[in-house]
Amino acid sequence: MSASANPGGSAPSAPALQRLRHRAQFDAVLSSAPAAKTMHFALHLTDSRARGASDGLFPGGGRWVGAMVPKRWARRAVTRNLLRRQIYAVAREWMHALPEVAVVVRLRSGFSREQFPSAGSEALRHAARAELQRLFERARRA
């Protein structure tokens, strides 16, 4: 075993958060109704163990996350990338609070260009992050 695989010799940590990669995975999660919604985002989730056992979409169960940021709601690539990065960052913080699930966070409406004129502004980053944290909090309670 290499030193980088388990630094410090401590017990292995929880499995890493895995990203959804295939359309079938997204379709499986999106087939369920949203578990939580905010003004700009919707969160869909499904049990990764049940789906993974039946059709191999989520090998090994665990926690899976996907982000959908369509051009319809975020025209500029800088904005789409900023939102996607925030989705994955907040998911890493909150997924430990959820059971073994597959989650898709979907942008369901655009952020106002009047309020956020810069595509990659700090204000947009903070607003998106705060809203995503509220979204995951609602999902945890549901």
Side-chain angles (χ1 to χ4, degrees), residues 40-41 76-90 92-93 107 111-112 115-134:
H40 296 101
F41 298 100
R76 298 175 282 188
V78 173
T79 304
R80 289 193 306 275
N81 290 332
L82 179 145
L83 294 173
R84 205 173 292 118
R85 283 191 306 269
Q86 291 305 310
I87 289 168
Y88 288 125
V90 172
R92 277 191 299 276
E93 294 171 11
L107 182 66
F111 284 87
S112 167
Q115 188 177 2
F116 303 105
S118 174
S121 68
E122 283 295 315
L124 177 58
R125 177 177 287 120
H126 292 302
R129 186 176 195 86
E131 189 171 334
L132 286 163
Q133 288 174 337
R134 284 193 308 273

Side-chain angles (χ1 to χ4, degrees), residues 19-122:
R19 291 190 184 185
L20 300 179
R21 300 278 184 206
H22 305 287
R23 182 181 182 109
Q25 292 174 317
F26 279 90
D27 290 343
V29 178
L30 290 171
S31 66
S32 65
K37 288 182 183 179
T38 59
M39 183 175 173
H40 296 101
F41 298 100
L43 184 142
H44 298 259
L45 60 87
T46 189
D47 185 356
S48 63
R49 293 169 301 202
R51 287 276 185 197
S54 64
D55 53 16
L57 286 176
F58 308 108
R63 292 172 174 86
W64 294 75
V65 67
M68 289 182 62
V69 184
K71 282 185 182 179
R72 176 181 184 183
W73 301 120
R75 297 295 299 168
R76 298 175 282 188
V78 173
T79 304
R80 289 193 306 275
N81 290 332
L82 179 145
L83 294 173
R84 205 173 292 118
R85 283 191 306 269
Q86 291 305 310
I87 289 168
Y88 288 125
V90 172
R92 277 191 299 276
E93 294 171 11
W94 279 91
M95 288 297 280
H96 71 280
L98 297 173
E100 289 191 12
V101 292
V103 172
V104 171
V105 177
R106 161 178 74 81
L107 182 66
R108 64 188 202 117
S109 68
F111 284 87
S112 167
R113 277 188 152 183
E114 291 77 34
Q115 188 177 2
F116 303 105
S118 174
S121 68
E122 283 295 315

